[in-house]
Amino acid sequence: QVQLVESGGGLVQAGGSLRLSCVASTRTFSRYFMGWFRQAPGAEREFVSSIAWQGTTYYADSVKGRFTTSRDNAKNTIYLQMNDLKPEDTAVYYCAADLSSALIRSPVSWGQGTQVTVSS
């Protein structure tokens, strides 16, 4: 089973930027659709973005135009570049892997999460 480790979270002011990374421990990284989710306090976990092995990306409406997902298959890593951050982006961000769904509807693995806090 693939193991995922996120990094890059932190505290940033509104309008600032952060880049999250997620490294996957697997020999078959290119088989996986990879995605980002987030969970704010008191809220359900929600889809943020995903990326297929060849680079096709999908985004939630709330982050379109501000967040960019990319992947480096040689490094078993995906990234989430977050620009123009807003206080409502504050959440724990999770990386996820899925073998069959581009929108990560049936993830086979989750990372431990990384906290992103945006101050106003």
Side-chain angles (χ1 to χ4, degrees):
Q1 182 169 337
V2 59
Q3 292 186 325
L4 306 174
V5 178
E6 305 100 333
S7 62
L11 173 64
V12 64
Q13 289 188 333
S17 299
L18 281 175
R19 188 177 82 154
L20 307 183
S21 300
C22 172
V23 179
S25 59
T26 174
R27 294 182 179 180
T28 57
F29 182 65
S30 62
R31 293 178 56 196
Y32 291 90
F33 296 97
M34 299 295 298
W36 292 97
F37 288 72
R38 66 187 181 185
Q39 188 167 19
E44 293 188 355
R45 191 172 298 189
E46 65 175 1
F47 172 84
V48 174
S49 68
S50 62
I51 184 166
W53 72 271
Q54 80 277 28
T56 302
T57 54
Y58 306 85
Y59 296 95
D61 288 343
S62 59
V63 306
K64 280 181 181 177
R66 300 188 298 123
F67 290 11
T68 302
T69 294
S70 60
R71 69 189 287 164
D72 184 336
N73 289 331
K75 295 182 178 180
N76 282 17
T77 302
I78 66 167
Y79 305 95
L80 182 66
Q81 177 66 44
M82 304 184 293
N83 297 329
D84 190 23
L85 282 161
K86 303 176 181 182
E88 51 264 43
D89 294 318
T90 295
V92 177
Y93 283 70
Y94 298 90
C95 177
D98 193 316
L99 285 169
S100 60
S101 169
L103 295 178
I104 321 296
R105 297 189 190 281
S106 52
V108 297
S109 185
W110 291 94
Q112 83 286 355
T114 185
Q115 176 71 46
V116 171
T117 303
V118 184
S119 63
S120 57

